[in-house]
Amino acid sequence: MTKHTAAPLFFFLFLILTMTSAARAEPKTLLISDFETPDDLRIWDFKSKSAEISDLHATHGTHSVKIPVNEYMNAFRLPHDWSAYDSLDIDIFLEGDATVSGSLLIADTAWEKSGRGYWNRHNGGFTLSPGPTTLSIPVNGLYRGEMGSRNNDLKSNIDPKQIIRVDIGFESKDKGSIYIDNIRFTKESRPEGVLAFDFGPENQVLAPGFTAIGPMSVIGKNGATAGFRHPMPAARCRDDGFPTRLYQDCIPLEGEQFLVDVPNGLYHVWVMYDDLGYWGGEQACFRKRSITANGAVGWQEDRGPGGLADYLYRFESVEPTPGASMWDLYMKPLFTAKTLDAEVKDKRFVLQFDQDGWLGCKVAAVI
């Protein structure tokens, strides 16, 4: 990393999903299973009873566990307190050319005491592509029920200090094998000199290494050194559930300011908007929008006369083909960082977000 000579505290530009080893601090890790011995198999119960130790596709040590692509595994013997970590990470290798659907069930003691119902446990899903991947399960922000109908009975999220059950299911129309290894808890930390903020509901899924900014984050209140001038309406916050832990949630800040107390100096700022939406009508609609830093416009965008209808025609000429990357075709053009430089002279950084439409300033993250 290089240090900007004009900045005593420099905002280093990076993406949480693509940081190189040189730019990221060493994560704190607690190994749960690496399947080096048959004892590791006893932590999990496998529905098919056909799980076996393998020497293929190991990522920690020399062995992994091999299971069918239609396996269902669950555990009641994992540590119950996950609160010291950001994620439960699992390395997976999928053989063959076909994708595999996955399901996730996580339950805590409140679920057990309330009758073990479907709507009081966490029910999630994922898709595995062929080859290696890491399934990363967040510790915080696990809603009860389903994404579109969450916390209807018990109003709180899954308690990370009282988790008692984890189920992982795989489903495919094809035959084949999955290799699993290096099941561990991880805790990320930011590189020195970086301030990173994840915007979303008070109970948001927090990106590793980021500080949560919720609607009640008010600068100066309870010693907070970052936040808003006044509370934001909680109903305005959004959590789309995709595409990544950092980008999936946001707070609309049209005409609002975000403030951070920092030493004086020159700063580089990275902002990510969420221009999508979980329900229809939640897409960003605007012709012009801008970000002002300490009174000066640092970034602006003009979509022209068709701006308000941009979401209708943005991908009109894009034709997906078999094997095409949905991220490269659709997500990457929308999730592009907005960057600017600004100088701080009074020990307070002030970012203001403006636009001439609606939902055009749904801020997902600031670094």
Side-chain angles (χ1 to χ4, degrees):
M1 292 187 295
T2 58
K3 186 175 180 180
H4 201 292
T5 56
L9 180 65
F10 185 63
F11 274 28
F12 188 79
L13 174 62
F14 73 100
L15 282 175
I16 194 65
L17 296 178
T18 57
M19 289 189 298
T20 64
S21 59
R24 67 188 301 178
E26 188 68 22
K28 175 183 176 182
T29 302
L30 174 64
L31 181 65
I32 300 299
S33 305
D34 63 357
F35 303 103
E36 292 304 293
T37 69
D39 288 341
D40 286 325
L41 290 177
R42 299 189 181 100
I43 297 176
W44 299 88
D45 295 318
F46 297 90
K47 183 178 180 179
S48 71
K49 308 299 183 182
S50 60
E52 60 181 5
I53 299 295
S54 170
D55 58 2
L56 297 176
H57 307 298
T59 59
H60 189 277
T62 58
H63 295 90
S64 63
V65 61
K66 179 183 178 182
I67 60 175
V69 291
N70 287 291
E71 183 62 270
Y72 191 94
M73 53 191 285
N74 69 292
F76 292 87
R77 294 177 286 276
L78 295 178
H80 291 177
D81 188 351
W82 298 13
S83 61
Y85 300 92
D86 294 318
S87 310
L88 175 63
D89 290 341
I90 304 173
D91 291 342
I92 301 176
F93 188 95
L94 172 60
E95 282 188 339
D97 299 322
T99 60
V100 169
S101 298
S103 63
L104 183 66
L105 183 163
I106 299 178
D108 60 1
T109 54
W111 162 80
E112 186 175 45
K113 292 177 180 179
S114 65
R116 300 191 174 194
Y118 176 87
W119 294 104
N120 283 333
R121 70 193 196 195
H122 174 79
N123 302 287
F126 58 91
T127 301
L128 295 179
S129 297
T133 190
T134 296
L135 174 63
S136 186
I137 302 169
V139 168
N140 296 294
L142 292 172
Y143 54 82
R144 299 181 192 272
E146 299 175 351
M147 170 61 66
S149 183
R150 65 185 78 186
N151 298 352
N152 284 329
D153 182 13
L154 298 179
K155 302 304 181 183
S156 62
N157 284 343
I158 297 294
D159 186 347
K161 294 184 178 181
Q162 300 184 44
I163 294 176
I164 60 174
R165 176 179 176 179
V166 177
D167 292 29
I168 305 172
F170 305 94
E171 184 176 356
S172 174
K173 296 178 181 179
D174 301 295
K175 294 182 179 180
S177 298
I178 294 174
Y179 297 82
I180 296 177
D181 196 19
N182 196 17
I183 301 176
R184 74 274 187 196
F185 289 106
T186 59
K187 175 73 174 180
E188 298 282 354
S189 58
R190 292 188 295 269
E192 183 179 359
V194 174
L195 299 179
F197 305 98
D198 186 352
F199 290 68
E202 292 295 338
N203 58 359
Q204 67 172 295
V205 177
L206 184 63
F210 279 72
T211 298
I213 297 295
M216 301 302 293
S217 299
V218 176
I219 193 164
K221 184 177 181 180
N222 299 323
T225 58
F228 311 114
R229 294 192 185 276
H230 51 80
M232 297 287 107
R236 297 178 62 188
C237 299
R238 295 289 186 271
D239 183 352
D240 300 336
F242 67 92
T244 71
R245 200 179 304 180
L246 180 60
Y247 299 165
Q248 73 181 58
D249 44 27
C250 63
I251 301 179
L253 294 179
E254 295 85 359
E256 300 288 351
Q257 293 180 340
F258 175 63
L259 304 91
V260 188
D261 289 337
V262 294
N264 291 337
L266 179 65
Y267 289 80
H268 185 68
V269 185
W270 179 100
V271 176
M272 183 63 71
Y273 286 126
D274 174 10
D275 288 340
L276 303 180
Y278 186 79
W279 301 107
E282 293 183 350
Q283 304 89 343
C285 298
F286 64 91
R287 290 187 178 90
K288 297 179 181 180
R289 63 180 173 181
S290 63
I291 303 174
T292 300
N294 287 32
V297 176
W299 174 88
Q300 54 188 338
E301 178 181 9
D302 188 344
R303 286 180 169 177
L308 292 177
D310 176 82
Y311 73 96
L312 294 173
Y313 304 107
R314 170 69 69 92
F315 300 107
E316 189 174 30
S317 61
V318 176
E319 186 67 29
T321 56
S325 166
M326 294 298 100
W327 174 266
D328 290 337
L329 283 179
Y330 300 111
M331 296 296 185
K332 188 175 180 179
L334 292 173
F335 287 94
T336 57
K338 325 304 178 187
T339 61
L340 56 137
D341 295 310
E343 188 172 3
V344 174
K345 297 181 179 180
D346 58 359
K347 297 185 178 181
R348 175 161 287 187
F349 205 104
V350 182
L351 288 174
Q352 177 158 331
F353 303 89
D354 294 296
Q355 48 97 53
D356 63 356
W358 57 92
L359 295 178
C361 296
K362 295 187 292 182
V363 179
V366 173
I367 301 174

